[in-house]
Amino acid sequence: MTTTTDTSVLAARFQETFDAAPDGVWQAPGRVNLIGEHTDYNEGFVLPFAIDKTAKVALRVRDDSAVRMLSTFGGHGLVETDLEGLEPGSGEGWSRYPLGVAWALKERGIDVPGFDLLLDSDVPSGAGLSSSHAIECAVISALNDLTGAGFAAEDLVLATQRAENVFVGAPTGIMDQSASLRGAKGHAVFLDCRDQHVELVPFDAEASGLVLLVIDTKVSHSHADGGYASRRASCELGAEILGVKALRDVGIEVLEEASGLLDETTLRRVRHVVTENDRVLQTVELLSSNGPASIGALLDASHVSMRDDFEISCAELDLAVDTSRANGAIGARMTGGGFGGSAIALTPVGQEQQVRDAVVRSFAEAGFTTPDIFTVTPAAGALRLA
Ligand code: ADP
Ligand code: MG
C-alpha cells in the first residue's frame, strides 16, 4: 500500500502513461486529529495536524474536456471520463475525489479544462487518516494553480467540502481539508469550526523526545454510520433544549445546570462535547507554554470521555489505548469518528518499541486482527513540488 515515489520518478511514470510531460507535481498530506473529536459539527474547536504521509499528483491540463486518471495503488485501472455534463453522484471509486473538486471549482465559475492525472499516495486508505482529502487537496491545489483561479486556502477548504458533501455525498466538516491545506511542519492546526479561524500551534514532538504512534486497529464496525448520525442528533437535541445555536455556546460552567434539563443519555453526549472543547483549548495553551510532554493527561481524559460519555470507542481502541498507557505512553486516545479506525499514543522515544510489542501481543491474545503501527510527524500542508 505504501509507495514513496520521488517527484522525478512520478513525472517519468506520467510521461510513460500519457505520452507527455506533466505540467507539474503537487502533494497534500493526510491528517491526524490530536484532540477535539465530534466537536466540528457542534461549531467547536479541533486540533489536527498534517502528517508526513501524502498524496502526490502529477497533472497535465488538456485542450478538451476529457479526463484520464491512474493511481499507482494496486487494482485500479485507467479511468477515462469527461468533465462535460459532470453532476453530483457521477464517477466511481477514487475518481469521485478528483472529479468532485473539479466540479466544485466549476461551480465557482472557474473554467476547468480536462486533464490527465497520475496519483501516488502513501496515506493508508480507510484508516481514519483522511486519504480521500489528501487526494482532493492535492488535485484542487493543482487545478487552482493551473487554471489561474488563485483561490486562497480558506476558499479551497470550502470548495473541497462542497466536493465531499455534494459530489461524493459524504457529510464531512472542514477539519480534514483545513489540516491538509493549511498545516505546517512542526505545528498543529487549531481550527475554530464556527468561523474557520486557524492558528498554528507549535507541536514538535520529536524535539521533546517523543514520538506519536498511530495504531490502526484495521476494524470498522458496521454501526459506525448509524452511530455518527445518532450522536449528531443527540447534540442537536441538547443544543435545542439548552437554547443555543450549537453546543459550542455551552460553557463548562453551565453543565451542572444543564443536568436538570436533559435526559441522562443526552446529558452525557453534551458533556463530552463541552468538556472536549475545553480540552482542546487547554491543549493549545499547554503546547504553547510547556510543550508536547505536558498534554498526556488531556489525551487520556479525551479518550475516557469518548468511551464513557459519547460511547464511540470499541474493544480494539480501548485495548490499544490501555496497553499503550501501561507500557510507557504518556497519553493516548482514539482518534477520528470512532467505532474502529485508529488510536494515537504519545510515547517517549525510548519506550516506542515496548509499546509496539505490547500492543501487538495484546491484540493477538484478544484474538483481534493484527494492528498496523507507525509513527507520524507534523508536516507541511499542500504544496507544489515541481
Ligand atoms: P479515509 O479518507 O479515512 O482514508 P475514505 O473512505 O474517506 O477513508 O477514503 C478512502 C478512499 O479513498 C478509498 O476507498 C479510495 O477510493 C480512495 N483512495 C485512497 N488512497 C488511494 C490511492 N492510493 N489510490 C486510489 N484511491 C485511493
Ligand atoms: Mg475520507
Side-chain angles (χ1 to χ4, degrees):
M1 172 196 304
T2 48
T3 40
T4 17
T5 310
D6 74 26
T7 309
S8 54
V9 174
L10 191 64
R13 279 174 85 162
F14 184 98
Q15 171 85 44
E16 271 168 42
T17 309
F18 298 112
D19 223 11
D23 292 331
V25 178
W26 288 257
Q27 76 170 19
R31 64 96 188 94
V32 161
N33 192 20
L34 186 58
I35 195 162
E37 224 63 73
H38 287 260
T39 46
D40 57 347
Y41 54 81
N42 290 295
E43 300 185 16
F45 307 114
V46 293
L47 189 61
F49 61 91
I51 60 175
D52 52 335
K53 293 185 182 294
T54 60
K56 291 188 173 77
V57 297
L59 193 145
R60 174 176 161 272
V61 294
R62 299 170 56 95
D63 45 23
D64 58 16
S65 56
V67 174
R68 297 187 294 172
M69 298 185 277
L70 185 69
S71 169
T72 59
F73 191 75
H76 297 280
L78 183 74
V79 179
E80 291 187 86
T81 179
D82 203 286
L83 292 184
E84 212 55 61
L86 196 62
E87 270 176 27
S90 44
E92 274 174 27
W94 74 277
S95 75
R96 294 169 303 156
Y97 303 114
L99 292 176
V101 294
W103 171 84
L105 287 177
K106 277 166 77 103
E107 194 195 36
R108 289 184 169 229
I110 303 303
D111 187 13
V112 182
F115 52 86
D116 294 336
L117 179 161
L118 178 63
L119 165 70
D120 182 62
S121 175
D122 68 352
V123 185
S125 172
L129 304 183
S130 235
S131 65
S132 61
H133 279 100
I135 299 170
E136 289 167 330
C137 292
V139 177
I140 205 167
S141 299
L143 293 177
N144 190 46
D145 287 353
L146 293 176
T147 59
F151 285 124
E154 295 92 301
D155 297 316
L156 296 181
V157 165
L158 296 178
T160 306
Q161 187 188 22
R162 286 282 297 167
E164 277 257 334
N165 292 173
V166 181
F167 193 89
V168 180
T172 50
I174 57 166
M175 168 166 72
D176 301 348
Q177 57 276 54
S178 294
S180 185
L181 289 163
R182 305 180 73 180
K185 188 173 191 298
H187 289 78
V189 178
F190 174 42
L191 172 66
D192 183 333
C193 296
R194 174 162 276 172
D195 63 7
Q196 236 197 309
H197 180 74
V198 156
E199 255 171 66
L200 292 176
V201 181
F203 176 53
D204 191 350
E206 224 174 315
S208 306
L210 297 166
V211 288
L212 198 84
L213 287 170
V214 173
I215 302 159
D216 175 5
T217 66
K218 308 268 202 104
V219 295
S220 159
H221 291 293
S222 55
H223 54 292
D225 285 351
Y228 180 84
S230 86
R231 296 310 180 278
R232 254 189 114 129
S234 286
C235 292
E236 278 159 22
L237 176 67
E240 196 187 313
I241 295 173
L242 296 175
V244 291
K245 179 165 177 280
L247 290 182
R248 147 70 173 277
D249 300 309
V250 179
I252 204 149
E253 67 290 345
V254 183
L255 270 182
E256 198 142 336
E257 233 174 274
S259 65
L261 299 169
L262 304 171
D263 66 83
E264 198 267 337
T265 304
T266 309
L267 174 65
R268 284 189 291 118
R269 306 298 190 243
V270 168
R271 188 164 60 202
H272 165 69
V273 173
V274 172
T275 58
E276 185 79 351
N277 269 327
D278 186 62
R279 280 185 290 271
V280 175
L281 296 175
Q282 287 188 54
T283 304
V284 168
E285 234 176 83
L286 278 178
L287 282 177
S288 304
S289 57
N290 296 331
S294 61
I295 67 167
L298 288 164
L299 301 182
D300 292 343
S302 173
H303 186 76
V304 169
S305 178
M306 288 187 283
R307 186 190 65 198
D308 299 344
D309 275 352
F310 220 58
E311 295 180 283
I312 52 170
S313 190
C314 61
E316 293 87 348
L317 288 168
D318 289 341
L319 185 62
V321 165
D322 294 345
T323 309
S324 299
R325 288 290 282 117
N327 285 277
I330 64 165
R333 62 184 284 275
M334 54 154 280
T335 183
F339 311 107
S342 297
I344 55 173
L346 191 57
T347 307
V349 172
Q351 300 289 124
E352 182 187 338
Q353 199 53 47
Q354 185 174 332
V355 169
R356 284 173 176 270
D357 294 345
V359 170
V360 169
R361 212 177 316 118
S362 70
F363 270 57
E365 280 163 12
F368 295 156
T369 306
T370 309
D372 238 353
I373 307 178
F374 50 90
T375 59
V376 288
T377 43
L383 54 90
R384 184 173 189 161
L385 293 170

